[in-house]
C-alpha cells in the first residue's frame, strides 16, 4: 500500500502537526511514516550541522529551515519531558545526546 508519506524540509512544522494528529486519532500503522520521531532526531542533528557550517562561512540559513528547526526543537522538548519520555524514548537514536542537541539547536536558531 502507498500512503503518500514522505518527509522534506520545506514545512517541518506541518509534518509534525500531521504526525501528532495521526497519534491522537490512533491512525493505523499502515498509514504512519515508520520511525518518524527517530528520523526527526537525525534531521535535528543535520540542521544543527548545516547551521554551523553556514555560520562558519558567514552565511544565513533559509528562513524555512530556521522555522522548521524551531518547530523540531519544540517537539524535542515535548518528547523529552519527564512525563512524556516513556512514550518516546524508544524512538531516540543511541547516538543522539538529546539535551545537548536541544541546547545547541536553540543557540543556533535564536
Amino acid at each position: 500500500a502507498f500512503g503518500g508519506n514522505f518527509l522534506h524540509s520545506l514545512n517541518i512544522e506541518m509534518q509534525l502537526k500531521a504526525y501528532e494528529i495521526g497519534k491522537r486519532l490512533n491512525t493505523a500503522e499502515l498509514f504512519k511514516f515508520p520511525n518518524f520521531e527517530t528520523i526527526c532526531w537525525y534531521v535535528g542533528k543535520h540542521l544543527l550541522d548545516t547551521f554551523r557550517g553556514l555560520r562558519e562561512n558567514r552565511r544565513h540559513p533559509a528562513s524555512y529551515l530556521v522555522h522548521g528547526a524551531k518547530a523540531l526543537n519544540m517537539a524535542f522538548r515535548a518528547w523529552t519531558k519527564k512525563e512524556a519520555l516513556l512514550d518516546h524514548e524508544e524512538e531516540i537514536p543511541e547516538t543522539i545526546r538529546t539535551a545537548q542537541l536541544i541546547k545547541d539547536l536553540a543557540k543556533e536558531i535564536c
Side-chain angles (χ1 to χ4, degrees), residues 3-17:
N5 293 327
F6 61 94
L7 301 177
H8 55 81
S9 61
L10 293 176
N11 200 334
I12 294 170
E13 182 180 24
M14 185 63 70
Q15 293 175 67
L16 288 164
K17 286 179 182 179

Side-chain angles (χ1 to χ4, degrees), residues 24-92:
R24 280 197 309 271
L25 295 175
N26 293 318
T27 302
E29 290 297 319
L30 175 65
F31 303 109
K32 292 181 184 178
F33 194 96
N35 304 312
F36 179 82
E37 289 184 26
T38 302
I39 291 169
C40 285
W41 286 104
Y42 287 120
V43 168
K45 176 71 170 96
H46 173 73
L47 288 174
L48 176 62
D49 294 342
T50 298
F51 293 156
R52 285 178 171 167
L54 288 169
R55 185 172 34 84
E56 287 173 9
N57 291 311
R58 293 186 165 89
R59 298 183 64 205
H60 298 285
S63 61
Y64 70 90
L65 287 179
V66 174
H67 186 77
K70 287 179 180 181
L72 261 181
N73 220 26
M74 285 177 38
F76 293 162
R77 290 174 192 271
W79 296 343
T80 56
K81 283 184 180 178
K82 195 176 260 187
E83 60 275 5
L85 190 57
L86 279 177
D87 294 333
H88 300 278
E89 66 184 346
E90 70 182 32
E91 292 268 4
I92 299 171

